[in-house]
Amino acid sequence: MAANLPRLRAGRLLLEVQGMQRKWESYIVALVGTDITNLTLCYYKDAADKLPTGMIHLHSASVDLMEEVFCVITLEQTWYLCADTPHDAEEWVDLICTTLEAAAMDAPFPSHADPPASSNIGDGGSRRRRLSSHITTSTVQEIQSRDMSTRVDEFLEMYVRSDEADIRSQAARGALSWSCLRNITWRLWLGCLPMDAPLGEWVDITTRHRRRYDQLRAKHVPRGLCGHDEVLSSSFLTNDLDDHPTEKRSEDEVAHMIWKDVRRTRCTMQFFQNDRIQRTLLHVLLVYAAEHPTISYNQGMGELLAVLVYLLHVERWKVSIDDQSEEDSYVHVDMVDVDTTNVLDATGLLQMRPFAAIKATCTTNCKHAVATLLATLTDDRFLEHDAFALFEQVMERMAPMFCPHATSCDRRGEFSPRRDDSSLLQAQCDHIHNVLLRRVDPVLAAHLHSFHIPPEVYLLRWLRLLLAREFPMYQVWVIWDSIFGLSPTDFAFVDMLCVAMLHDSRMLLLAQDDTTGLLHALKELGGSHSKLVESARKMHTQHQLDALYEHFQQR
């Protein structure tokens, strides 16, 4: 029973009660639970009551904050609660969101005694940790439990009936949050699956990628690390080695550095403490470092890889197409109602390119062809192979972030001059701070400039990790949707996200009057990921229009 569960926090709040006329009533509200299945807000009329008057189940809830009022949105209804002060309401929201996040990552629940994430920063007041948690553990579990029929329907809706521009636009607004095929969309945007290749070639293309990775792993990963049962205890992973410049490191030293970082990667998530997953990260990073010696390995790469690996894990289909029940085999499709004037069969489907925007009724064999394709693309046995393919494409765009001498696409707009010198990263930071931010918010830009803090001090982590450490994993996916969808060739949209991070927190930053407080505030910026993406998207559109106007003015 909820009454017997451990309390994470309790206090008196006003609760809006439904009835003939809505009214506020005072209750003792307690946040209780041990995991996502029983996480609950219980409310009592009196502190001495043993049984709650009512309960708000949080397993699929999102939370929003409006001054001293916060609302808990569940599948059944929206609950409104009111605290004495905005600060109290913010603490409640922060604890609920933190607990939901901990449940999603199988991490220990926070207690009310833990320092709140929205604690005061310098003299600038408090910040909101995040306003909404639209993707919770229940959503991840729901994605993993979707049957093949549901996945086939989503595939047809996205890659057959929709056009590419529409999917990119919707993705930038968070529409892929409920998708179980996000990893396939990313493969298309990043080039793992060529956009002009027919669907029928996807299996062969994916198989070639996987065979290539098998060959590279056999070539670069020591035999003792290729299995799945051995403990990672090779001498070159357990012995301390002196740090050396990247170009002078031996393979053993690189492996040692990677292994140390792998053990620290997302250490609060139980998923990344699994031996198989740690081995996956180690293998992929070792192979990449060996195949790309100019870049080799640098800290932060594991964080990028972790985002990809967890997404692939969540969206894996763990049941063979041969193991489907008769109910999921599509033999039940009623062909009598099919519009024979616009029918898509398996042959037509496999000859089609993605995002064809065709409104057609799919036959039984067409759906079975999609199911077979999905079973191959999301085969759990090849998670490591697919992670390498995605990671290699991400790093092709991210090379200048980790190796200044590596060349990459220009990141400052289609009409800007290309820079190939060793200061690409510094030039990008200067461009964000001195050009983009100055256009959007000249007052804030001048304020930051007055402290003489090099922009790379706070921008480096944001740029290198694509904001992966500033938000929970599920929100990072939404942010990466916008980066990959709006700027797939150079990830330039991350520049606008950095500007939006600063602009959306301008009051907090402008309130800082010393360097220490400002640096602390810059390190702790966060907030609503959806608001961040929306702000950056508007800036991105305006920047494109300005660049186009300047281009024609110069002609």
Side-chain angles (χ1 to χ4, degrees), residues 7 25 40 44 94 140-141 223 267 289 325 364 427:
R7 290 192 175 190
E25 292 188 3
T40 307
Y44 305 79
D94 187 72
V140 171
Q141 292 173 342
R223 181 176 299 178
C267 57
S325 65
T364 301

Side-chain angles (χ1 to χ4, degrees), residues 182-428:
R182 176 187 260 129
N183 79 89
I184 296 177
T185 304
W186 284 9
R187 291 191 224 186
L188 285 164
W189 287 343
L190 296 178
C192 298
L193 293 172
M195 198 74 75
D196 58 353
L199 303 183
E201 295 181 8
W202 283 12
V203 169
D204 289 340
I205 293 170
T206 302
T207 301
R208 287 199 298 271
H209 287 322
R210 291 169 177 174
R211 287 175 178 169
R212 173 176 175 257
Y213 179 72
D214 276 332
Q215 295 169 353
L216 295 177
R217 184 172 60 182
K219 177 181 177 182
H220 297 302
V221 178
R223 181 176 299 178
L225 298 179
C226 289
H228 294 284
D229 299 324
E230 304 91 343
V231 177
L232 293 176
S233 59
S234 299
S235 60
F236 65 88
L237 294 182
T238 56
N239 294 337
D240 289 331
L241 299 171
D242 295 331
D243 291 331
H244 296 285
T246 301
E247 61 270 21
K248 296 182 180 179
R249 294 184 202 132
S250 68
E251 292 181 1
D252 287 358
E253 289 169 332
V254 173
H256 182 264
M257 174 179 286
I258 292 174
W259 175 235
K260 286 197 300 183
D261 289 345
V262 162
R263 288 183 295 179
R264 293 193 292 255
T265 299
R266 294 281 177 173
C267 57
T268 59
M269 292 181 66
Q270 186 175 348
F271 173 79
F272 288 103
Q273 302 309 303
N274 178 274
D275 178 70
R276 180 203 171 198
I277 299 305
Q278 290 190 345
R279 194 184 297 273
T280 293
L281 298 177
L282 176 64
H283 290 175
V284 171
L285 294 171
L286 279 173
V287 171
Y288 181 84
E291 276 297 293
H292 302 273
T294 302
I295 303 172
S296 186
Y297 172 78
N298 286 277
Q299 284 188 340
M301 291 182 181
E303 295 287 348
L304 298 174
L305 177 60
V307 177
L308 302 173
V309 167
Y310 193 54
L311 176 67
L312 289 168
H313 163 73
V314 168
E315 297 185 354
R316 291 287 96 176
W317 177 243
K318 297 181 173 61
V319 179
S320 168
I321 191 69
D322 298 327
D323 296 333
Q324 292 185 90
S325 65
E326 183 176 344
E327 182 180 356
D328 291 327
S329 65
Y330 306 108
V331 296
H332 62 282
V333 175
D334 186 1
M335 299 300 295
V336 176
D337 296 331
V338 172
D339 179 5
T340 56
T341 62
N342 194 15
V343 175
L344 182 64
D345 61 11
T347 302
L349 173 88
L350 297 177
Q351 293 174 347
M352 181 183 300
R353 290 181 172 84
F355 306 116
I358 294 177
K359 307 300 181 184
T361 301
C362 297
T363 63
T364 301
N365 66 353
C366 173
K367 291 188 175 183
H368 190 80
V370 173
T372 303
L373 178 60
L374 283 176
T376 300
L377 293 178
T378 60
D379 191 333
D380 189 52
R381 297 172 299 173
F382 298 101
L383 184 149
E384 183 177 314
H385 304 67
D386 298 341
F388 177 79
L390 275 169
F391 180 70
E392 195 170 38
Q393 290 299 319
V394 168
M395 286 304 302
E396 183 176 317
R397 284 84 165 168
M398 295 295 293
M401 299 296 101
F402 296 94
C403 180
H405 296 280
T407 59
S408 180
C409 301
D410 177 59
R411 303 176 60 85
R412 270 157 293 285
E414 184 179 351
F415 310 111
S416 301
R418 172 72 180 269
R419 296 180 60 98
D420 289 321
D421 57 24
S422 61
S423 61
L424 267 172
L425 179 57
Q426 183 179 351
Q428 183 181 353

Side-chain angles (χ1 to χ4, degrees), residues 457-498:
V457 169
Y458 59 90
L459 288 175
L460 183 60
R461 187 171 88 163
W462 298 355
L463 294 172
R464 271 192 169 180
L465 305 185
L466 298 177
L467 301 175
R469 293 301 294 171
E470 316 310 315
F471 297 89
M473 183 75 80
Y474 319 102
Q475 297 180 6
V476 173
W477 292 340
V478 178
I479 292 170
W480 284 21
D481 287 341
S482 65
I483 297 173
F484 297 167
L486 297 178
S487 55
T489 59
D490 59 5
F491 294 174
F493 187 67
V494 73
D495 294 0
M496 290 302 177
L497 287 166
C498 291

